Amino acid sequence: MDALTLHRIHFAFTITFHYLFPQLTMGLALLIVAMKTVALRTQDVDQRERYDVAARFWARIFAINFVLGVVTGIPMEFQFGTNWSEFSRRTGGVIGQPLAMEGVFSFFLESAFLGLLLFGERRISRRLHWFASFMVFLGSWISGFFIIVTDAWMQHPVAYQQLPNGTYEVTSFWGLLMNPWAWLQYAHNMSGAVITGAFVVAATGALYMLQQKHQEFGRVFLKVGVVAGVISCIAQIFPTGDLHGKYMARHQPAAVAGMEGLFHSTPGAPIVLMGQPDVERQTIDNPLVVNKVLSFLIYGTTAAEVKGLDQFPQDQWPSALPLLFYSYHIMAGLGTYFAALMTTAGFLLWRGKLYNARWLLWPIMLSFPLPYVANTAGWMTAELGRQPWLVYGLMRTSEGYSKHVGPGTSLFTLLGFLGMYSLLSILWIVMVYTAIQKGPRAPVVDQGHDAHTLTTA
Amino acid sequence: MGTIWFWIVAAMLTIYVVLDGFDLGVGIVYLFVARDEQDRRKAMHAIGPVWDGNEVWLIAGGGTLFFAFPLLYASSFSGFYLPLTIVLWLLIVRGLSIELRAHTHDSVYKTLFDATFSFSSLVLAVFFGAALANVIRGVPLGPDNYFFLPLWTDWRTGPNPGILDWYTVLGGVLAGLALALHGLLYLALKAAGVLNTRSTMLAKRLLPIVAVITLASVPATVIARPASLEHYQQHGIAWLAPAMVVVSLATIAISLARGWEWRAFLGSCTYLASMLVGAAAGLYPVVLPSVGTAGRSITIDEALAGPHAVRVGLVWWAFGILLAIGYTVTVYWLFRGKVPEHAEGYGH
Ligand code: HDD
Ligand code: HEM
Ligand code: HEM
């Protein structure tokens, strides 16, 4: 394999792995705030106690994921320099800003208040403790924002100028932060993170109900998870996914054509629900289509013409076309399934029948890995759709990598990360599974009576 | 503007070394001074609430380096590819060891995580020292401002250096010992009982060694990079840094003899900071010196991002760093004082 391919796989693998953790922590952070709010506001002593214990339990799971997010996040920060040095040199004057802001504004905040959230409960007032959970939430969501601003600039560069030495610099700070692409992407991405959080919480609730243990918490988790799930699953499709898709069709038409597998421009374009793109013959095998829907989704009328790949020179086609097509279809397919599952569950919750509906508890419990799949597929869509550009329209991926780092070296570190991260995955699963099996009331292993450690169990 | 950013980045990395330095140092000496479970827990609890926040200074410093000096970030990070990646792996191992140790009851796993924690801390300290020595010595920059260093060549400085040569190894050893001392002084400050006496005793023995190697590093640096002396002669104020090094070493010695734990630790903080500032002063206005003839040294002006970028950066950075300092101080304040003796309610 050549150096470029290896650097791409290197980056893709490490960031995909990293994003497994923040998507849960960002989603959970919101749900923990919600649980703590209920506990703070309720007059009912039992309920207050239950929600306090629930919030504490999820804060422990949060902590495990947080540490993994931190140790896998640090390599990301360095990899721009190690593996994408030419990209960093040329665009550092723009994207260096949001990346540095992430560190300065959110990581300090998060690490400080997480300690308070985990161990401060007995030293500070209930209101202050609620505030700590809120600040942890804020920190993780700010962190997500700056990262998305970075990515959005690569997808849709704004507020920049080129200097005589060929590098780029930001020309308007607010222009960079107010990139419309960033806000659309942020809304969609954060809603996706809430889906992950909601599914994990609801699945744990379903597990407890099916196992008939910790049932008082099973009910709390199901309720919180399903309510958050209904809202976020709907928001994921409409308005966030829909708007994002429309905006993309205007600014990255080649990517949309690739996602939809549209080889030829067509008025009244059909949507392909399923099929296998054949790039050489430029067709979709075994297509399952609904006529005119694509034109309607993008332009609001059934007759509009949608640009196909034939409108673009072949060297501007997304380079991994079939993978792009599948990623997009997996995301959108799962999104439809999530919305159906969660609205059904929401309906039963409203009618008071959810806790005994074993036929529904099973799929809720088994579906918890799927949001991870959907979020990963979503990022694959975004990143593969951007190809062959590293910064859309400005810089090609083939120009950006570290030319002085040979393929052997890159393969060596890639293998190292593969090995290291396989171990991490095992540890992660064991730790989270043990915590869930022990249940919310399990005593904490090493709480350090006076909060002298950041770690929990 | 370039000078401001040079010192900002230098300051952030210095804060990183001073803060994370003591928890790395605790890791280095951990197996020797904390012999039983009770003491090991105490040592862990002394760094538990703060190590993650300390590490953020590295991330934030790295991010700031990226946006203020993109060329330097690109050139040095890709040039030091292998050692940096190894640093990342060690940071992963270390973070997990701390976390996992707190999770397990099993003494076999505890022994394992103790070992990985200590090992990764030691190697990290040595790597950081060697990295700094590499930057001081210079790297074989090409005409395109990039380079790629092999791990070692013939162990000599000169036009064809490796990441490891006699000078950078010396830097690594000095960093390992200096941070070990820093960690011991921190433990003495935070712990009472056996852990305290053992740390103090070891610190007393380590101090002369650190002092001797520090002294030796001065002629070594002049041999490895004669130009650093010129910078000192041009900016007389730079001599303050080595002067502070001597003063702080003396402070540590006196404080250790008198049992002033706070002053000893602050002395060690000053020592580390002055060493780093001294190194930075020797570089300025170069940020990455070149050895050999193919390329020229990278200077601040060449590496600096566009003028507008660094100007807006200053506004949000000043605001953000005040917040960050606020959080850091609050956390240290909340967890001030000695780690309590009887850690009741632990485990089981
Ligand atoms: C639970 C996760 C999840 C689900 C169910 C969906 N998405 Fe999504 N999608 C994401 C999670 C995600 C993501 C991980 O958050 C992405 C990757 C980049 C981004 O900003 O969001 C994304 C990207 C993404 C993109 C590409 C953006 C780009 O190139 O920058 C489009 C067009 C859509 N989404 C549209 C949809 C539609 C129409 C869905 C309807 C069913 C949908 N997504 C469901
Ligand atoms: C700030 C956020 C992100 C930035 C700045 C970013 C940047 C990059 C860069 C520089 C590359 C390498 C060049 C390329 O092949 O396109 C890349 C590729 C990739 N990234 Fe991202 N990325 C971000 C977020 C993510 C996330 C969260 C994921 C997945 C969960 C992801 C998935 C991928 C994948 C799959 C590739 C490989 C694309 C390919 O090989 O063609 N990215 N991204
Ligand atoms: C190239 C892209 C990325 C880089 C350079 C990066 C960098 C980092 C770093 C250094 C950390 C550790 C921070 C600490 O010590 O507290 C971290 C954690 C985190 N990252 Fe990333 N990251 C990237 C992609 C993403 C993406 C795409 C998201 C979400 C949209 C994200 C969200 C987070 C969050 C919320 C945390 C906090 C830790 C946690 O909650 O798990 N990151 N990241």
Side-chain angles (χ1 to χ4, degrees), chain A residues 421-435:
Chain A
Y421 285 1
S422 321
L423 261 174
L424 288 199
S425 320
I426 297 172
L427 286 172
W428 176 43
I429 292 170
V430 170
M431 283 197 288
V432 173
Y433 182 79
T434 328

Side-chain angles (χ1 to χ4, degrees), chain A residues 54-350:
Chain A
R56 227 170 279 150
F57 172 70
W58 286 108
R60 287 210 296 272
I61 309 267
F62 180 100
I64 297 173
N65 281 275
F66 181 82
V67 170
L68 286 157
V70 171
V71 298
T72 57
I74 298 172
M76 295 322 305
E77 182 102 15
F78 283 54
Q79 264 183 66
F80 288 109
T82 51
N83 298 64
W84 299 95
S85 59
E86 190 53 23
F87 164 68
S88 305
R89 184 180 76 80
R90 286 204 226 164
T91 62
V94 184
I95 63 163
Q97 302 261 348
L99 280 175
M101 290 176 87
E102 183 186 21
V104 172
F105 284 103
S106 70
F107 291 153
F108 282 115
L109 191 152
E110 244 185 314
S111 73
F113 281 97
L114 183 59
L116 218 54
L117 175 67
L118 290 176
F119 301 108
E121 201 163 359
R122 268 171 278 161
R123 323 180 126 202
I124 55 181
S125 71
R126 291 177 60 79
R127 268 172 203 290
L128 259 180
H129 198 243
W130 177 89
F131 180 70
S133 75
F134 180 79
M135 292 303 269
V136 168
F137 154 75
L138 194 69
S140 68
W141 281 52
I142 292 178
S143 150
F145 178 70
F146 285 125
I147 282 292
I148 298 280
V149 167
T150 310
D151 191 62
W153 188 81
M154 297 168 62
Q155 301 280 358
H156 183 58
V158 294
Y160 67 90
Q161 70 181 14
Q162 192 165 22
L163 298 174
N165 64 4
T167 65
Y168 297 93
E169 79 155 332
V170 62
T171 53
S172 155
F173 180 68
W174 293 115
L176 179 66
L177 294 190
M178 291 297 148
N179 185 354
W181 189 294
W183 285 89
L184 289 168
Q185 196 177 354
Y186 185 60
H188 189 65
N189 186 67
M190 298 321 277
S191 168
V194 177
I195 294 184
T196 303
F199 268 73
V200 167
V201 171
T204 309
L207 174 73
Y208 288 166
M209 296 312 283
L210 290 171
Q211 284 183 330
Q212 306 195 334
K213 62 182 206 192
H214 316 304
Q215 293 203 18
E216 46 171 337
F217 293 106
R219 286 190 204 96
V220 172
F221 295 170
L222 270 173
K223 191 193 277 173
V224 174
V226 167
V227 170
V230 171
I231 300 169
S232 56
C233 287
I234 293 175
Q236 194 68 3
I237 301 177
F238 192 84
T240 66
D242 177 55
L243 284 178
H244 197 18
K246 287 192 168 114
Y247 197 75
M248 247 187 112
R250 264 196 284 151
H251 295 280
Q252 284 191 4
V256 170
M259 278 152 54
E260 302 285 358
L262 195 67
F263 286 100
H264 308 284
S265 302
T266 4
I271 196 160
V272 181
L273 295 183
M274 236 182 243
Q276 296 80 36
D278 180 337
V279 180
E280 239 147 63
R281 302 205 343 268
Q282 306 206 359
T283 54
I284 303 279
D285 297 335
N286 314 311
L288 184 63
V289 301
V290 187
N291 280 327
K292 304 201 170 153
V293 171
L294 188 56
S295 291
F296 178 74
L297 283 179
I298 295 180
Y299 295 105
T301 78
T302 50
E305 181 178 272
V306 180
K307 272 194 202 160
L309 285 166
D310 55 0
Q311 302 265 324
F312 309 93
Q314 196 135 10
D315 73 340
Q316 288 183 18
W317 288 17
S319 28
L321 211 125
L323 194 55
L324 171 63
F325 176 90
Y326 294 131
S327 304
Y328 176 69
H329 282 76
I330 288 171
M331 166 175 67
L334 284 176
T336 316
Y337 164 72
F338 294 161
L341 181 71
M342 278 297 172
T343 40
T344 316
F347 179 75
L348 289 188
L349 181 70
W350 175 53

